[in-house]
Amino acid sequence: MKTKNLKQLVALALLALMATAAQARSWRINHNTMQNPDFADINAAMASASVADGDTLYLDPGCSLTADQTISKQVTVVGCGYFRTDLAYPFASILGKLYITAPFAKVESAILNNVYIRAENVTVQRCYALDFYLADNSAPSANANIRQCYCRCIYGKGKSDALSAYCSIENCMILADGGNDGFYAVINLYYPTIRNCYIYENCQTTGYSNIYALTNLSYYTIVNCIILNGKKSSYILNGCSNAVTNAYNITSNTDGMSRTALFLWSEGNNDERYQLNETSPARGYAADGSDIGPFAGNYPYVLGGLPMGHPYYTKAQISPRSDDDKVKVSLQIKMQDE
């Protein structure tokens, strides 16, 4: 049996386990119609009368959606994680823009490009995204939850605009390392809660030398975060007013406090390197004596963003020859957080 066929078989077995665990109907999404998916993309699923609120759409391992996608129903879209090199399957991605227009929709464990949240009570968690745009196109996005994500920037509608109010940003890694492009890490939010995040601002352009890590926030809560500005240590908050809580945060620049002092900086790649080292000043820094940063708190960051509570396989073996025209396949399955 060819390796390609083995990957198809394993992917189908994995998705069958997921579908068994789901209470509502589950659907497979894959751009490769040779894999016999339920739908070729999210847009097709949204257009189908068979897909209802409460259903789950699973992006097949290796699925890559290049066109813009819109989630217009209250569904959950689940990918395969990102960054991990120890897994036997390829990841799934949405390379076009993602528009979320349904309240209470949820996206989990997917590789995303730009995400435009145009509905209230949307949750995006354990995703690798480029930028988030709240209340895009003047559509309300109040009570958005961005949790355990790895991204570059989060943009709101405005520091006094209720359209993007009361968003919750928790246990995220927000790395606005824009080089010469002048990206803001977090900007224009009204009543935001930012908790247990790592935020890094490192714009290098001369014209953008005054970019701050957090800009134009009002009635904000920032707790248990590590916030660094690669340009200047004093450039953390700008245009921010009426703090509800701003406590137990470590703020500095890379000169005042290097990343090697905080993290396992030289011992991993991508998200792995942001785990606290044994002597990190972020250890025990919270009010209750616990750690601060993405790997602490109520929603600890999960390396590689693997789907919560869903099975994934780590090893697949196939017999070299058939026995009575049957091929023996052995899968090693684990549950996320196991």
Side-chain angles (χ1 to χ4, degrees):
M1 183 180 290
K2 296 181 180 180
T3 302
K4 179 179 179 181
N5 293 332
L6 173 60
K7 288 184 177 180
Q8 294 174 2
L9 177 63
V10 173
L12 290 173
L14 176 65
L15 290 164
L17 285 170
M18 291 178 175
T20 301
Q23 295 180 358
R25 295 190 69 179
S26 300
W27 309 91
R28 288 178 48 233
I29 306 293
N30 200 326
H31 71 285
N32 185 356
T33 56
M34 297 297 292
Q35 302 290 336
N36 297 315
D38 296 304
F39 301 101
D41 63 10
I42 294 172
N43 295 333
M46 295 296 97
S48 172
S50 299
V51 178
D53 290 347
D55 286 358
T56 301
L57 312 180
Y58 290 102
L59 303 177
D60 271 3
C63 173
S64 179
L65 306 181
T66 57
D68 295 349
Q69 304 293 310
T70 299
I71 300 174
S72 56
K73 296 180 181 179
Q74 187 184 322
V75 298
T76 298
V77 177
V78 182
C80 308
Y82 52 89
F83 287 156
R84 295 285 291 268
T85 58
D86 59 337
L87 304 180
Y89 55 82
F91 297 124
S93 59
I94 301 174
L95 301 180
K97 298 175 181 178
L98 177 63
Y99 298 95
I100 306 175
T101 62
F104 296 98
K106 183 177 179 181
V107 183
E108 179 181 340
S109 300
I111 297 174
L112 309 172
N113 194 336
N114 288 321
V115 181
Y116 299 86
I117 299 178
R118 297 178 174 178
E120 297 184 346
N121 297 290
V122 166
T123 297
V124 181
Q125 67 180 25
R126 301 192 183 198
C127 287
Y128 171 48
L130 191 59
D131 301 328
F132 288 95
Y133 296 88
L134 279 61
D136 172 66
N137 201 30
S138 296
S141 65
N143 301 301
N145 297 293
I146 302 174
R147 183 182 300 151
Q148 300 164 298
C149 289
Y150 188 106
C151 66
R152 182 175 64 181
C153 307
I154 299 176
Y155 297 89
K157 195 65 177 177
K159 67 179 294 185
S160 60
D161 197 319
L163 287 175
S164 57
Y166 302 105
C167 74
S168 176
I169 304 170
E170 297 191 72
N171 294 86
C172 290
M173 299 184 188
I174 306 169
L175 309 178
D177 194 359
N180 295 327
D181 294 323
F183 298 110
Y184 292 87
V186 181
I187 186 173
N188 294 339
L189 294 175
Y190 185 50
Y191 277 100
T193 296
I194 305 172
R195 191 185 306 273
N196 286 103
C197 291
Y198 171 53
I199 301 172
Y200 181 62
E201 178 64 64
N202 191 39
C203 175
Q204 300 296 331
T205 304
T206 302
Y208 289 95
S209 60
N210 293 339
I211 283 187
Y212 292 68
L214 300 147
T215 303
N216 292 343
L217 311 181
S218 60
Y219 298 98
Y220 58 92
T221 295
I222 305 175
V223 182
N224 295 345
C225 292
I226 301 170
I227 308 171
L228 304 182
N229 191 315
K231 293 292 289 185
K232 297 181 180 180
S233 61
S234 60
Y235 284 19
I236 300 299
L237 293 171
N238 181 47
C240 299
S241 58
N242 300 311
V244 176
T245 304
N246 184 10
Y248 303 103
N249 304 301
I250 290 178
T251 61
S252 183
N253 67 352
T254 52
D255 294 327
M257 182 172 294
S258 68
R259 287 172 286 189
T260 56
L262 287 159
F263 308 118
L264 295 174
W265 185 249
S266 60
E267 298 182 25
N269 296 312
N270 300 314
D271 53 359
E272 295 176 344
R273 62 175 58 188
Y274 298 110
Q275 298 173 91
L276 301 181
N277 62 43
E278 290 300 321
T279 60
S280 174
R283 289 197 176 276
Y285 196 80
D288 60 0
S290 61
D291 298 341
I292 69 170
F295 292 91
N298 294 328
Y299 305 99
Y301 182 92
V302 175
L303 290 174
L306 294 177
M308 180 171 58
H310 293 298
Y312 65 95
Y313 72 90
T314 58
K315 183 184 296 185
Q317 293 181 328
I318 184 169
S319 58
R321 59 183 180 179
S322 63
D323 184 7
D324 297 329
D325 294 325
K326 296 180 180 179
V327 177
K328 294 181 180 180
V329 177
S330 174
L331 301 179
Q332 180 175 311
I333 304 292
K334 286 188 177 183
M335 296 295 290
Q336 173 53 41
D337 300 326
E338 180 182 349

